[in-house]
């Protein structure tokens, strides 16, 4: 008798002894046959489990290698055109009509472009920063000399056009009250320095609205003779003696 069959018989007898049952009146041949059948059942079950595992592994490999029929969608982080996505909420908002820049709950007064040189609205991204920038006179619409602007923040739109924010050192009374730049956004120097620390390269700035139209100042003119006569029509005249 083989060792495996002997082990099966021993296990069968131990199982019967553990349950406290009386061994059935079977012959030795019947007991050996029963053990053989149990061993076959176990081998069959093991073969089925192995085949199922092999089939599952083959299915996984086929799907990973592109053989599956599942729909493939691009990752949300990757754009089909390869262009980076911009956040829905900007890091700073510029309201040209109210003349304010809003950042981190704080509003900074600004001066933007004049009607002849309006500031362009739209979404822009910070592409460079420098604490002091020498700007050519023709860009500032000045005559004769260039000017250094502190806390210079360069902005770029999706179409490649640029603009910038900087300290308006030559007219610090303008931010919040009137527009005097050539289209860029000017702040008081202290506000420009604070904003310089808040924005980083890649920060998004939304520029909205249009600058308010300046109110024309009327100049008094000399009264015409007819106006003078009309004004005097209702005034009492001195009685002649």
């Amino acid at each position: 008798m083989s060792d495996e069959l002997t082990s099966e018989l021993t296990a069968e007898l131990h199982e019967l002894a553990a349950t406290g049952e009386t061994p059935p009146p079977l012959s030795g041949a019947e007991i050996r046959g029963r053990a053989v059948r149990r061993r076959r059942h176990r081998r069959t079950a093991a073969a089925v489990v192995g085949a199922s595992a092999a089939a599952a592994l083959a299915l996984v490999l086929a799907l990973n290698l592109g053989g599956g029929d599942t729909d493939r969608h691009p990752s949300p982080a990757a754009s089909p055109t390869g262009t980076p996505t911009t956040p829905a909420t900007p890091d700073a908002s510029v309201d040209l009509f109210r003349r304010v820049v809003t950042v981190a709950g704080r509003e900074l007064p600004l001066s933007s472009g004049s009607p002849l040189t309006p500031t362009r609205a739209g979404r822009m991204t910070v592409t460079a920063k420098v604490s002091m920038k020498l700007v050519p006179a023709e860009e500032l619409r000045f005559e004769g000399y260039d000017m250094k602007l502190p806390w210079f923040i360069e902005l770029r739109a999706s179409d490649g056009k640029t603009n910038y924010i900087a300290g308006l050192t030559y007219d610090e009374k303008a931010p919040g009250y009137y527009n005097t730049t050539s289209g860029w956004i000017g702040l008081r120097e202290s506000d420009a320095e604070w904003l310089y620390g808040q924005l980083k390269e890649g920060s998004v700035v939304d520029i909205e609205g249009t600058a308010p139209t300046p109110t024309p100042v009327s100049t008094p003119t000399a009264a015409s003779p007819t106006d003078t006569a009309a004004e005097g029509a209702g005034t009492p005249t001195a009685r002649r003696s």
Side-chain angles (χ1 to χ4, degrees), residues 208-235:
E208 302 173 348
T210 57
T213 304
T215 303
V217 178
S218 59
T219 56
T221 58
S224 64
T226 56
D227 292 338
T228 305
E231 290 177 0
T235 57

Side-chain angles (χ1 to χ4, degrees), residues 141-161:
R141 300 296 177 96
F142 289 161
E143 294 182 2
Y145 58 91
D146 302 338
M147 180 169 288
K148 291 182 178 179
L149 297 181
W151 314 115
F152 188 95
I153 302 173
E154 183 180 85
L155 306 174
R156 185 181 299 274
S158 58
D159 60 3
K161 294 185 178 180

Side-chain angles (χ1 to χ4, degrees), residues 10 18 57 64 111 142 185:
T10 303
L57 179 59
N64 289 338
S111 179
F142 289 161
I185 298 168

Side-chain angles (χ1 to χ4, degrees), residues 47 52 64 95 114 138 148-149 166 170 205 219 235 240:
S52 300
N64 289 338
D95 189 330
S114 66
E138 58 270 16
K148 291 182 178 179
L149 297 181
Y170 60 84
V205 179
T219 56
T235 57
R240 293 184 179 181

Side-chain angles (χ1 to χ4, degrees), residues 194-215:
W194 180 83
L195 182 65
Y196 187 90
Q198 292 293 314
L199 299 182
K200 302 175 176 59
E201 290 191 22
S203 295
V204 176
V205 179
D206 272 357
I207 304 175
E208 302 173 348
T210 57
T213 304
T215 303

Side-chain angles (χ1 to χ4, degrees), residues 24-218:
L26 300 174
S27 64
E30 291 176 335
I31 293 176
R32 286 194 299 271
R34 183 176 179 181
V36 170
R37 287 193 298 274
R38 287 189 60 184
R39 183 176 60 183
R40 289 176 179 174
H41 289 164
R42 289 179 183 177
R43 288 180 176 177
T44 303
V48 171
V49 171
S52 300
L57 179 59
L59 178 61
V60 171
L61 291 176
L63 291 176
N64 289 338
L65 292 175
D69 294 331
T70 56
D71 294 335
R72 293 178 177 269
H73 299 285
S75 171
S79 172
T81 59
T83 56
T85 57
T86 54
T89 304
D91 300 288
S93 297
V94 177
D95 189 330
L96 298 176
F97 185 79
R98 294 178 56 228
R99 294 193 181 102
V100 292
V101 180
T102 303
V103 181
R106 179 178 173 183
E107 290 189 342
L108 312 175
L110 67 85
S111 179
S112 63
S114 66
L116 295 178
T117 57
T119 300
R120 181 187 179 196
R123 173 160 288 194
M124 308 191 83
T125 304
V126 176
T127 54
K129 294 170 54 180
V130 60
S131 58
M132 188 68 69
K133 175 80 171 181
L134 182 64
V135 181
E138 58 270 16
E139 187 173 328
L140 294 172
R141 300 296 177 96
F142 289 161
E143 294 182 2
Y145 58 91
D146 302 338
M147 180 169 288
K148 291 182 178 179
L149 297 181
W151 314 115
F152 188 95
I153 302 173
E154 183 180 85
L155 306 174
R156 185 181 299 274
S158 58
D159 60 3
K161 294 185 178 180
T162 61
N163 203 348
Y164 54 89
I165 305 173
L168 189 63
T169 53
Y170 60 84
D171 192 355
E172 289 224 340
K173 294 181 180 180
Y177 294 99
Y178 53 91
N179 298 316
T180 185
T181 75
S182 58
W184 55 282
I185 298 168
L187 307 177
R188 294 178 298 202
E189 186 172 1
S190 58
D191 290 340
E193 181 180 4
W194 180 83
L195 182 65
Y196 187 90
Q198 292 293 314
L199 299 182
K200 302 175 176 59
E201 290 191 22
S203 295
V204 176
V205 179
D206 272 357
I207 304 175
E208 302 173 348
T210 57
T213 304
T215 303
V217 178
S218 59

